[in-house]
Amino acid sequence: MRTDALQRRETILRSARELFAQYGANVAMDTIAERSNVGIGTLYRNFAARPELVEEVTVTTLQEILDAAHLARENLAQEPRAWSKFLEQLVRLDLGALSEAFGGALPATLNERVLTVQRECAQAVNRVLEQAKDQQLVRRDLNGVELVTAIGAATRPLPRAFKNQTPQLQERLVQIMLDRFKA
């Protein structure tokens, strides 16, 4: 793929993820194209149908988690702050909003490509978590599923009434949760 075509594809994926997190997986394809600064034809040349785009956003997000876990693992021995940076990266991915958006958009049976990245991701998160436990940066009784589930729960979209009344509520809840992970 040419460099400019690859950049357009990455822009489409980034824009789609932001819109999916904000509005759900049924956001209009025209809106995704507009946010990506591409024509609808370019969007459909890259992703023939919504399920293909949803799957690719899922794989890309899992790959970002995997990359963050590898980076944290490399840096954790020299820099204990790498654990906090890893958690912050997971929070920034809007895992809760995306999981809510994709709840009905992903097929009931995921294809092998998604499952492979998902397994690799779970293993990498568990390795980082074990390393953080060894360095006494995190509670010993926390497991990888609990970690990702808690971050997902904390980053789910809040009802509008809560957002309007307390604009920093989600950030505060995420920080409380992160503090509870500490050893």
Side-chain angles (χ1 to χ4, degrees), residues 96-164:
L98 287 174
S99 66
E100 187 168 298
F102 294 160
L106 284 170
T109 305
L110 298 174
N111 72 35
E112 191 55 39
R113 179 172 171 245
V114 175
L115 291 172
T116 298
V117 179
Q118 190 179 46
R119 278 190 296 272
E120 291 173 7
C121 195
Q123 292 168 350
V125 167
N126 280 322
R127 284 192 293 269
V128 173
L129 183 57
E130 290 306 313
Q131 191 174 356
K133 286 177 185 179
D134 291 343
Q135 292 182 259
Q136 299 180 342
L137 298 172
V138 67
R139 307 164 56 120
R140 297 239 29 103
D141 62 343
L142 183 66
N143 68 46
V145 172
E146 292 169 339
L147 173 70
V148 173
T149 302
I151 289 173
T155 57
R156 274 199 169 326
L158 293 173
R160 187 172 303 137
F162 287 106
K163 278 166 87 168
N164 293 341

Side-chain angles (χ1 to χ4, degrees), residues 8 11-12 30 32-43:
R8 270 194 301 276
T11 300
I12 292 168
D30 287 338
I32 296 169
E34 185 179 314
R35 171 79 65 93
S36 305
N37 292 317
V38 300
I40 194 71
T42 300
L43 175 65

Side-chain angles (χ1 to χ4, degrees), residues 27-139:
V27 67
M29 296 294 269
D30 287 338
T31 303
I32 296 169
E34 185 179 314
R35 171 79 65 93
S36 305
N37 292 317
V38 300
I40 194 71
T42 300
L43 175 65
Y44 280 113
R45 270 191 301 282
N46 280 274
F47 304 99
R50 178 183 308 278
E52 187 179 325
L53 178 58
V54 168
E55 179 181 303
E56 196 61 33
V57 169
T58 301
V59 168
T60 302
T61 302
L62 289 169
Q63 187 62 53
E64 286 188 44
I65 295 169
L66 187 58
D67 293 344
H70 288 313
L71 183 64
R73 192 137 190 260
E74 289 172 17
N75 295 330
L76 203 49
Q78 304 90 320
E79 183 188 351
R81 172 96 174 94
W83 172 249
S84 297
K85 288 180 182 178
F86 173 62
L87 295 177
E88 290 164 7
Q89 284 179 290
L90 294 183
V91 167
R92 276 194 304 274
L93 288 174
D94 274 332
L95 298 177
L98 287 174
S99 66
E100 187 168 298
F102 294 160
L106 284 170
T109 305
L110 298 174
N111 72 35
E112 191 55 39
R113 179 172 171 245
V114 175
L115 291 172
T116 298
V117 179
Q118 190 179 46
R119 278 190 296 272
E120 291 173 7
C121 195
Q123 292 168 350
V125 167
N126 280 322
R127 284 192 293 269
V128 173
L129 183 57
E130 290 306 313
Q131 191 174 356
K133 286 177 185 179
D134 291 343
Q135 292 182 259
Q136 299 180 342
L137 298 172
V138 67
R139 307 164 56 120

